[in-house]
Amino acid sequence: MVHGLRSFADPGRGGRRLGYLQYVPPAARADPTRRWPLILFLHGSGERGRDARVLTRHGIPRVVEESRGDLPFIALAPQCPPASAWPPHLLALEALLADALDALPVDPARLYLTGISMGGEGAWHLGARNPHRFAAVVPICGYGLPAYGFPAKVCALKDTPVWTFHGARDTIVRPAATVALVETLRGCGGDVRLTIYPDADHDSWTRTYANPEVYEWLLAQRLRARG
């Protein structure tokens, strides 16, 4: 196992401990002077709970497991508590990122945010709340909640590169949820790419995270001064 299993206090939930997986490339441990890009991954509803080891089923944690230490990013994968969702825990995610910037050899100009399904929702929400923090956002089969001001709130990301993915045959989160966010973001001048897989259902993440072009695109994005 190349992940480290850790926990942190959720400042918005009375100090409750939330588990997370942390991956640091072996090369980062060998050269502490080098700064590395960081990916924050938000899982879907099926991995909620109190055992972060289940996060290796999907997404970036699975990629880390299969890469055998070759992924050229620091990666964080927090676990959402049972019967909850990501929007109530945005403060905790911000605190986790702040701790990582203090404790790990992270390049603050190369913070990337991604998530799947419920985690795709979390990526849209956390990204819109922090438009000056992330160099790029990759929501996969996600959505925005009207109760939190979406789709209009997505315009906060108009200066942040976004590449979003969805399966055309998805009946769990309809692709129209992503299309509405993309159209709104484009309407306010956003830099957004949309990929819809015509043959995919809800699992549009496995092929996305297996695509080297996604990581090449991420690494080409750097945080810049934004008005």
Side-chain angles (χ1 to χ4, degrees):
M1 193 109 146
V2 294
H3 280 106
L5 183 63
R6 299 167 178 265
S7 69
F8 71 105
D10 181 345
R13 290 291 182 272
R16 178 194 299 170
R17 305 297 296 182
L18 300 180
Y20 71 100
L21 297 180
Q22 175 180 293
Y23 165 73
V24 178
R29 295 191 291 270
D31 181 6
T33 65
R34 179 178 172 184
R35 294 295 176 184
W36 289 76
L38 180 147
I39 295 181
L40 176 63
F41 168 77
L42 304 181
H43 65 77
S45 61
E47 288 70 57
R48 291 176 292 188
R50 306 203 184 281
D51 181 1
R53 289 172 293 187
V54 304
L55 302 184
T56 58
R57 294 173 181 167
H58 301 294
I60 295 297
R62 179 175 175 180
V63 171
V64 167
E65 292 286 296
E66 295 176 349
S67 74
R68 300 184 181 275
D70 291 334
L71 189 71
F73 300 83
I74 291 171
L76 300 177
Q79 185 176 37
C80 190
S84 189
W86 287 117
H89 303 283
L90 300 186
L91 186 63
L93 298 176
E94 292 164 0
L96 176 60
L97 273 177
D99 286 348
L101 286 167
D102 285 341
L104 298 171
V106 176
D107 180 351
R110 293 188 293 168
L111 300 182
Y112 308 116
L113 172 62
T114 187
I116 61 175
S117 193
M118 185 187 81
E121 170 210 20
W124 284 113
H125 283 240
L126 183 62
R129 179 179 160 96
N130 296 272
H132 299 283
R133 177 172 298 209
F134 295 104
V137 182
V138 179
I140 302 173
C141 56
Y143 49 96
L145 295 176
Y148 287 82
F150 288 86
K153 195 170 183 179
V154 77
C155 285
L157 286 168
K158 67 182 180 63
D159 296 318
T160 301
V162 174
W163 192 357
T164 183
F165 298 80
H166 218 115
R169 299 181 180 181
D170 191 341
T171 58
I172 296 175
V173 179
R174 299 285 184 178
T178 286
V179 171
L181 292 166
V182 168
E183 290 180 347
T184 301
L185 189 50
R186 284 177 175 164
C188 52
D191 177 9
V192 56
R193 299 174 64 174
L194 171 62
T195 296
I196 293 185
Y197 302 116
D199 59 337
D201 50 25
H202 191 49
D203 181 1
S204 50
W205 57 81
T206 298
R207 71 176 74 180
T208 298
Y209 291 130
N211 183 358
E213 184 182 350
V214 173
Y215 303 100
E216 293 167 5
W217 179 83
L218 282 172
L219 290 171
Q221 314 305 320
R222 299 181 71 91
L223 198 64
R224 56 190 182 274
R226 296 168 182 167

